[in-house]
């Protein structure tokens, strides 16, 4: 699963193109996004990355199609690690679109030492199923690794985040349709590698508003991956998202179970 091949210029250009295409082809996801699950445990120096997809088709009483795509690009040197993530997807019920979303995330992590690494990030995304027309996030903080070895890695991170959201709400909605909020964002992550052919990743985020801890967002994800070949891996993931103050007409709790396949460059 952790095998990567350095990208030649053609592959690098292809991955960049796919990343941008994924942004324009939205994916059903949460307004909160677990970027930790998309990081690589040990990306090689230079360029590397992966492209993945998942598909659900149901026919009979209900014609249902859901397609998701994702791409990530790494650039690593002795001083800094750069990560670009793009996600997109589309859900169709009959011939009508019922869900769509898109994401672009950019992050720089500075390799200060093996225990603590400062970082900053920016993100743009939208999510039709969450009534989210536009979301912009800017933040900075640090991550720490408590323990790591051949078995995997255990770590945490914390940052201060500025979040802007524009929502598509009815005129009589209680929730404001435009908000600007500073949030504390912290996470715990555990990556376990029982064998070379089996990787388990677990991440939990807590994101309260800096001046009101009752305004809380929580995100949890468990992801299991096993390689089919050196460049193909099967994945199964379970996502849980909670928002203590969701927009009108949306549930505070969402859960998703997803299977897919990933192509690793």
């Amino acid at each position: 699963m952790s095998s990567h091949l350095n990208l030649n210029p053609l592959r690098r250009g292809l991955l960049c193109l796919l990343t941008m295409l994924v942004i324009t082809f939205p994916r059903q996801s949460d307004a909160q996004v677990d970027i930790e699950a998309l990081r690589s445990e040990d990306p090689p120096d230079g360029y590397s990355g992966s492209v993945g997809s998942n598909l659900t088709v149901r026919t009979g009483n209900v014609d249902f199609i859901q397609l998701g795509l994702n791409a990530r690009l790494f650039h690593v040197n002795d001083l800094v690690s750069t990560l670009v993530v793009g996600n997109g997807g589309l859900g169709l019920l009959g011939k009508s679109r019922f869900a769509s979303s898109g994401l672009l995330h950019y992050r720089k992590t500075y390799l200060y030492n093996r225990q603590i690494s400062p970082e900053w990030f920016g993100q743009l995304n939208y999510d039709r199923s969450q009534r989210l027309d536009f979301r912009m996030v800017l933040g900075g903080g640090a991550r720490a690794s408590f323990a790591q070895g051949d078995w995997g890695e255990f770590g945490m991170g914390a940052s201060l985040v500025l979040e802007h959201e524009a929502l598509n709400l009815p005129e009589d909605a209680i929730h404001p349709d435009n908000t600007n909020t500073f949030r504390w964002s912290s996470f715990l992550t555990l990556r376990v590698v029982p064998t070379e052919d089996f990787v388990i990743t677990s991440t939990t985020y807590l994101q309260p508003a800096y001046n009101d801890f009752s305004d809380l967002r929580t995100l949890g994800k468990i992801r299991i991956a096993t390689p089919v070949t050196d460049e193909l891996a099967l994945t199964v993931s379970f996502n849980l998202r909670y928002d203590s103050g969701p927009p009108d007409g949306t549930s505070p709790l969402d859960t998703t179970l997803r299977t897919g396949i990933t192509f690793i460059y």
Side-chain angles (χ1 to χ4, degrees):
M1 174 63 187
S2 61
S3 299
H4 291 267
L5 298 179
N6 288 337
L7 296 178
N8 59 32
L10 179 59
R11 283 189 172 184
R12 188 161 66 243
L14 176 61
L15 186 56
C16 291
L17 176 61
L18 284 172
T19 300
M20 297 311 298
L21 287 175
V22 166
I23 301 309
T24 61
F25 190 75
R27 163 184 172 263
Q28 185 178 2
S29 65
D30 300 318
Q32 299 148 273
V33 180
D34 181 7
I35 298 300
E36 288 302 308
L38 298 175
R39 297 177 64 91
S40 175
E41 58 270 21
D42 188 21
D45 288 349
Y47 287 94
S48 60
S50 66
V51 178
S53 66
N54 55 79
L55 175 66
T56 302
V57 178
R58 178 179 176 183
T59 61
N61 294 324
V62 177
D63 292 328
F64 172 86
I65 298 175
Q66 182 172 316
L67 175 64
L69 299 174
N70 61 79
R72 59 181 180 173
L73 175 67
F74 295 93
H75 181 245
V76 178
N77 59 38
D78 293 338
L79 300 177
V80 63
S81 175
T82 303
L83 170 64
V84 181
V85 174
N87 283 336
L90 183 65
L92 297 174
L93 187 60
K95 296 183 179 180
S96 300
R97 182 181 66 167
F98 75 92
S100 63
S101 62
L103 163 76
L104 177 63
H105 183 96
Y106 182 89
R107 180 180 297 249
K108 277 191 176 292
T109 303
Y110 297 90
L111 308 179
Y112 179 70
N113 58 43
R114 294 182 63 86
Q115 282 72 42
I116 299 177
S117 299
E119 62 182 2
W120 65 269
F121 52 88
Q123 179 177 300
L124 303 174
N125 67 293
Y126 83 96
D127 190 329
R128 183 179 181 184
S129 64
Q130 297 296 322
R131 296 183 177 271
L132 180 66
D133 281 342
F134 177 74
R135 183 174 189 247
M136 179 180 69
V137 172
L138 295 173
R143 62 178 51 249
S145 178
F146 295 117
Q148 57 184 340
D150 294 338
W151 58 270
E153 182 180 3
F154 173 62
M156 67 170 293
S159 58
L160 180 62
V161 176
L162 172 61
E163 172 189 82
H164 168 73
E165 289 186 344
L167 301 170
N168 181 14
L169 300 176
E171 293 183 358
D172 59 349
I174 298 176
H175 195 289
D177 57 6
N178 276 275
T179 60
N180 294 289
T181 308
F182 277 105
R183 292 187 179 276
W184 300 109
S185 180
S186 58
F187 68 85
L188 289 174
T189 183
L190 175 65
R191 180 180 289 108
V192 180
V193 187
T195 69
E196 293 182 356
D197 298 331
F198 196 64
V199 179
I200 304 171
T201 305
S202 171
T203 314
T204 303
Y205 281 85
L206 292 177
Q207 298 176 332
Y210 84 102
N211 60 348
D212 182 6
F213 275 52
S214 66
D215 181 356
L216 175 65
R217 293 180 175 182
T218 303
L219 179 66
K221 181 171 186 176
I222 297 177
R223 182 176 184 265
I224 299 173
T226 183
V228 179
T229 68
D230 287 344
E231 296 185 342
L232 285 178
L234 295 176
T235 61
V236 178
S237 61
F238 175 78
N239 292 30
L240 181 149
R241 184 195 67 87
Y242 173 76
D243 185 349
S244 64
D248 299 55
T250 63
S251 172
L253 178 65
D254 280 337
T255 60
T256 305
L257 180 65
R258 181 175 291 114
T259 60
I261 189 167
T262 299
F263 179 60
I264 304 170
Y265 284 97

